[in-house]
Amino acid sequence: MREGSSAVDPLIGATIGGRYTIRRLLARGGVGLVYLAHQRDPDREVVVKVLAPNWIDNAEAVARFEREGQRLGAVQHANIVSLYECGHENGVAFLAMEYLLGELLGDYVARKGGRLGIEEFVPIAAQILKGLGTTHSRGLVHRDLKPSNIVLVEEQGRANYVKILDLGLAQVLEGPPRDEDTPVVGTPDYLAPEQILNKPVDVRTDVYSLGVVFYQMLSGKL
């Protein structure tokens, strides 16, 4: 995903769900657009993710986005970004999520010289595994695990507290099989072979991606 411009974005200034006022575009990707928004009650900053324009007219994609959002709302874990609401308004399917102030895992590793020692690696890795394990236990596969989808924040007086992001791309395990025309979603460096081949995915898909992330954290190489 990359930072985007809000110059001609019709959502800027709009209120979604009756309480989320869109402030600015944070990032743009093939699946969704991510915005910073302000929630009126309670008074707080939130992240609102909506389906990208090329998916809006796809009824199946919208329905699946909403279904997965509802399932994700049931995934509550300290190491997973909180999902506040999944909704649909005026043709826009949206997710409202916790807004985090922290450092991306990739940036943290780079700041530490490109790789981590065991003492730094283990606490971070353990938290990622706990969060991912909870996701899998709820029947969801993340499908896009990478350093830029893991944020380190300060929470409960503890530094390097892990939050896993972008569960909006998750796939329900018992969902329908993918067909050959389904677009491949994810970052190539971290994709499991079955994703690249457009084959069905399961929890092993995330294990593969996480192995790539852990190797990179320890060695400084992909």
Side-chain angles (χ1 to χ4, degrees):
M1 304 183 94
R2 63 181 186 276
E3 185 121 358
S5 169
S6 61
V8 294
D9 193 322
L11 286 182
I12 301 300
T15 298
I16 292 181
R19 54 188 159 274
Y20 307 110
T21 301
I22 305 298
R23 301 293 197 200
R24 62 186 173 91
L25 181 65
L26 295 175
R28 183 190 304 273
V31 175
L33 304 176
V34 182
Y35 296 91
L36 176 67
H38 181 263
Q39 182 177 355
R40 281 189 292 190
D41 185 21
D43 183 10
R44 62 186 175 188
E45 299 296 291
V46 299
V47 168
V48 171
K49 180 174 182 177
V50 303
L51 274 179
N54 55 303
W55 291 88
I56 289 176
D57 295 327
N58 187 320
E60 183 179 348
V62 171
R64 184 167 181 167
F65 185 85
E66 293 176 340
R67 266 198 318 272
E68 293 187 4
Q70 292 163 1
R71 293 291 300 273
L72 290 167
V75 180
Q76 300 295 326
H77 191 275
N79 298 123
I80 298 174
V81 63
S82 297
L83 176 68
Y84 299 139
E85 182 179 357
C86 172
H88 189 276
E89 183 176 288
N90 297 327
V92 177
F94 70 90
L95 303 177
M97 298 174 286
E98 178 183 13
Y99 175 61
L100 299 172
L101 286 174
E103 185 175 19
L104 295 178
L105 176 61
D107 294 338
Y108 175 78
V109 173
R111 185 164 59 82
K112 290 292 182 175
R115 62 181 181 177
L116 302 181
I118 289 295
E119 296 79 8
E120 293 175 303
F121 169 81
V122 170
I124 294 173
Q127 293 177 77
I128 297 172
L129 289 169
K130 288 177 183 177
L132 190 61
T134 297
T135 301
H136 290 168
S137 72
R138 299 294 191 274
L140 296 167
V141 181
H142 190 289
R143 291 201 298 162
D144 196 23
L145 282 170
K146 55 187 177 182
S148 60
N149 272 339
I150 299 168
V151 175
L152 304 179
V153 302
E154 185 172 341
E155 190 168 302
Q156 301 176 13
R158 173 181 175 182
N160 292 345
Y161 202 99
V162 167
K163 295 283 187 176
I164 300 174
L165 305 180
D166 218 356
L167 285 170
L169 290 178
Q171 173 169 308
V172 181
L173 282 176
E174 62 269 27
R178 295 156 59 88
D179 59 46
E180 292 182 358
D181 295 327
T182 303
V184 176
V185 175
T187 303
D189 287 338
Y190 304 92
L191 289 183
E194 61 271 22
Q195 288 177 284
I196 295 172
L197 296 173
N198 243 340
K199 302 298 183 182
V201 304
D202 58 30
V203 297
R204 293 170 294 182
T205 302
D206 284 345
V207 173
Y208 180 96
S209 298
L210 194 58
V212 177
V213 172
F214 283 176
Y215 182 87
Q216 185 177 16
M217 290 170 66
L218 287 168
S219 71
K221 303 175 182 178
L222 277 168

